[in-house]
Every structure is written in structure tokens, then in C-alpha cells.
Amino acid sequence: MPYSHLNDYPADIRERATRVRLACFDVDGTLTDGRLYFDGEGSELKAFHVHDGQGLTLLGKVGIAVAFITARGGPIAKRRGADLGIDEVHVGVKDKLACVQDIAARLGIGMEQVSFMGDDLADLRVMLQTGFAVAPANAHRWVAERVHWRTTARAGHGAVREFCDLLLAAQGHAERLLADLLRVEGVRVEGNA
């Protein structure tokens, strides 16, 4: 059975998704819900959604490069990137556009093959220079009205996974990934779970 939700997206969104070879993500307000937690010693805490992590891992499995690019410093984004096997984790970035352009140049791809998912003004400049600008459902209005597509899920609540699933389906990887996941020691497992 083909990925049933792909045709729910407009043709131009599906077409943009087919070109993506580098998927870049802001961290706060995109991979997280945007809230910042601090403990009594001033250490920062963040919560990440496990579904988003699975989606990012699947992108890597099919050869779509993933990058985290955040203006905030600190070790949390680096730790999450390391947990997911993401090499391109850039923290404390003052010029996100220059950072993305550098990564794309190193990968030998054009900006039309880059997506950027972000939620607020610090992301807008870079988003407008990529082939596929995406925002979570709860992005700031000034950003939301200027992107190519908005997820239905909120940031930190599966928005990144929703975007990853779109990329995987549009590029024809979803069915193979699902089939591979349903195999156990060479036997296909069927069920209604």
C-alpha cells in the first residue's frame, strides 16, 4: 500500500520535497516547544520529542543530510545531535544563512536542494534563501506567513517528524523503510496493530 498521505499535500509542496538533499533545523521552537527551563544552578534543560528523533534518523538512512543550526549556545543541542548521529550541529550561530551556505557548498549542492525549518525571526533570512522553507504550526505569524509550508503539529510535539515523513514519502523512501521495519529475520510480519 503506498504512503496514503502524500496526495494530501499540494503538488508544489511535494515537488519541493523531492529536491531536498540537506534538511536544516533550528532547535528552540522547532525541535523543542520553545520553552527554556533552568534549574537552581542556572543550567538549561530542553525536552525533545522521540518521534522527531526517529524521523531525523530515517532521513540519514536514505542519504538526506541533516543539520541543527541554533543561535543559542550550550551543550544540549550538541548532545541531541550526537545521540542521533548528526555531525552538522552548529551552536551559537550569528549568521545562519552563511552557516547553511557553507554546509551546502561542502556537500556540493545548491540552495534549491536545501530545506530549513524554523519558527521565528532569527530563522527567516535563511529560510527565504532555501528551496523549501518550513515552519511548525505554532511558528510566529511573521514567519508562518512567509514559508512554503507549515506542519499541522506544533514544535516539540512531532512537527519535525511530520516534515521528515513528507520528505521520505515524496522521495519514494517511505514504502521501502516501512517494509524493512516490518521484516523480522527475513520474514515479513503482517498485522493490524
Side-chain angles (χ1 to χ4, degrees), residues 3 9 25 30-31 49-59 117 149 151 153-169 177-178 181:
Y3 182 78
Y9 301 104
F25 298 88
T30 303
L31 285 161
H49 199 292
V50 69
H51 289 179
D52 292 344
Q54 179 67 69
L56 294 165
T57 299
L58 292 173
L59 290 184
M117 186 174 187
W149 180 65
T151 64
R154 297 173 60 83
H157 297 274
V160 168
R161 177 62 178 273
E162 185 179 340
F163 179 48
C164 292
D165 287 352
L166 169 59
L167 294 178
L168 294 167
L177 288 168
L178 287 169
L181 291 169

Side-chain angles (χ1 to χ4, degrees), residues 22-171:
L22 169 62
C24 301
F25 298 88
D26 172 45
V27 175
D28 298 303
T30 303
L31 285 161
T32 74
D33 67 7
R35 295 183 290 174
L36 300 175
Y37 298 92
F38 296 93
D39 67 15
E41 285 78 47
S43 295
E44 189 174 348
L45 306 170
K46 298 179 193 290
F48 296 93
H49 199 292
V50 69
H51 289 179
D52 292 344
Q54 179 67 69
L56 294 165
T57 299
L58 292 173
L59 290 184
K61 284 186 178 191
V62 301
I64 298 173
V66 175
F68 292 172
I69 302 166
T70 179
R72 293 186 63 82
I76 298 173
K78 287 183 178 185
R79 170 66 190 269
R80 184 62 174 152
D83 287 347
L84 298 173
I86 297 170
D87 295 326
E88 295 285 352
V89 178
H90 303 270
V91 299
V93 176
K94 301 297 182 218
D95 186 344
K96 291 185 179 186
L97 177 57
C99 183
V100 170
Q101 288 171 327
D102 177 64
I103 297 167
R106 284 189 281 112
L107 294 174
I109 62 172
M111 291 296 285
E112 72 281 356
Q113 296 174 294
V114 175
S115 66
F116 195 99
M117 186 174 187
D119 70 305
D120 211 339
L121 297 178
D123 307 314
L124 192 56
R125 183 168 163 254
V126 64
M127 293 170 84
L128 296 177
Q129 299 301 313
T130 66
F132 197 6
V134 178
N138 58 325
H140 189 276
R141 172 179 270 158
W142 293 353
V143 172
E145 64 192 17
R146 289 172 171 81
V147 298
H148 299 115
W149 180 65
R150 282 179 35 202
T151 64
T152 58
R154 297 173 60 83
H157 297 274
V160 168
R161 177 62 178 273
E162 185 179 340
F163 179 48
C164 292
D165 287 352
L166 169 59
L167 294 178
L168 294 167
Q171 295 186 21

